[in-house]
Amino acid sequence: GKSTYNGQPFTGAVKRRTGFVTQHDVLYPHLTVAETLWYTALLRLPRALGASEKRAQAEEVMLELGLGKVAHSMIGGVRGVRGLSGGERKRVSIGLEMLVDPSLLLLDAPTSGLDSTTAARIVGTLRRMAAGGGRTVVVTIHQPSSRLYHMFDKVLLLSSDGCPIYYGLAADALSYFASVGFASPLSLDPADLMLDLANGAYAIGPH
C-alpha cells in the first residue's frame, strides 16, 4: 500500500509537520520543565526565529498544557530525584511535539499507567488541541473508560490479531454493532462491548 498525507506522498516536509509522542516518556530527569521545553525549542524550531521568540513559544506551550505551576520543578522519574507526577511528565512529552505546531500529532498509548482522572485530563487536553482547528490528533488507547471513549470523534477498532472491525464515528459504533446482531445493555460501557468483540469474548450474545 501507500502512505499519503492529505493525498500527498509522505515527504521530509510532511514529516516535519508530524509529531509523535511515544508510550514511554524519554526526558532528562535532572532538567526542569521550563529547561526541557526551552532546549527543545532551540533545537527544533526554525533558525529564522530569534531566541526570544523561541522562549516565548516554549512558555506558551507550557501554559497551554497547565504546566506553569511546575515550570521550575525537575522532571524526575529516577531514584533520588523527586519530580513530576506521571500525568505531568506525559504533558511535557506532548509539549515537546506541540512546539513544532504539527498538523498531525500521533500518540502511542498516552494514558497507559495513569489513573482515570489523570487519563481524562490528558485526553481532554488532546481533544482541545484537535478542536482548535488545523490539527489532527491520532491516539492508540487500550482500555478507555466510558468518559474517555466519548471524547473521541472517530474510532478504529482492531481485533486481537490486527484486523479492522469498525471504523467510523464513535457515537455510531453501538448502533452499528446492534445492526449486525450485537446489541448491548444500556448499562454497559461502549468500550467494554467493543473490547469483548475485538477479543472474541462474546459475553453479549446476538439478539
Side-chain angles (χ1 to χ4, degrees):
K2 295 181 179 179
S3 295
T4 60
Y5 183 90
N6 286 341
Q8 301 300 315
F10 197 80
T11 61
V14 170
K15 185 176 180 181
R16 285 191 291 273
R17 299 199 63 191
T18 303
F20 178 66
V21 179
T22 61
Q23 179 174 352
H24 301 290
D25 304 314
V26 183
L27 303 166
Y28 288 101
H30 295 90
L31 293 180
T32 66
V33 172
E35 289 168 341
T36 300
L37 290 167
W38 167 230
Y39 294 149
T40 301
L42 288 174
L43 290 169
R44 297 187 65 186
L45 292 181
R47 294 181 181 178
L49 294 178
S52 60
E53 293 173 296
K54 291 180 179 181
R55 183 181 291 276
Q57 198 157 327
E59 291 177 354
E60 183 181 338
V61 166
M62 187 167 56
L63 294 175
E64 185 176 350
L65 290 172
L67 294 168
K69 292 183 179 180
V70 294
H72 303 293
S73 299
M74 285 195 293
I75 299 295
V78 295
R79 181 180 293 180
V81 181
R82 184 178 179 181
L84 307 181
S85 68
E88 289 166 340
R89 281 199 300 273
K90 182 58 66 179
R91 277 185 279 162
V92 173
S93 294
I94 294 170
L96 299 184
E97 297 304 318
M98 282 178 61
L99 274 171
V100 296
D101 194 24
S103 57
L104 174 63
L105 181 60
L106 307 168
L107 301 101
D108 182 15
T111 62
S112 292
L114 302 179
D115 61 76
S116 59
T117 300
T118 303
R121 287 175 180 165
I122 293 293
V123 176
T125 297
L126 297 173
R127 180 168 176 79
R128 287 192 298 274
M129 289 170 58
R135 183 183 289 125
T136 299
V137 179
V138 180
V139 175
T140 61
I141 194 161
H142 300 299
Q143 195 167 0
S145 66
S146 177
R147 178 166 52 162
L148 295 191
Y149 178 83
H150 290 297
M151 291 186 190
F152 290 100
D153 297 306
K154 290 184 179 180
V155 170
L156 170 62
L157 176 66
L158 300 177
S159 67
S160 55
D161 57 359
C163 295
I165 295 176
Y166 174 80
Y167 175 68
L169 296 175
D172 293 344
L174 291 185
S175 58
Y176 165 75
F177 286 119
S179 73
V180 294
F182 295 97
S184 66
L186 293 176
S187 59
L188 185 69
D189 181 344
D192 287 341
L193 169 67
M194 296 172 76
L195 286 171
D196 282 347
L197 293 170
N199 289 289
Y202 301 129
I204 305 164
H207 65 257

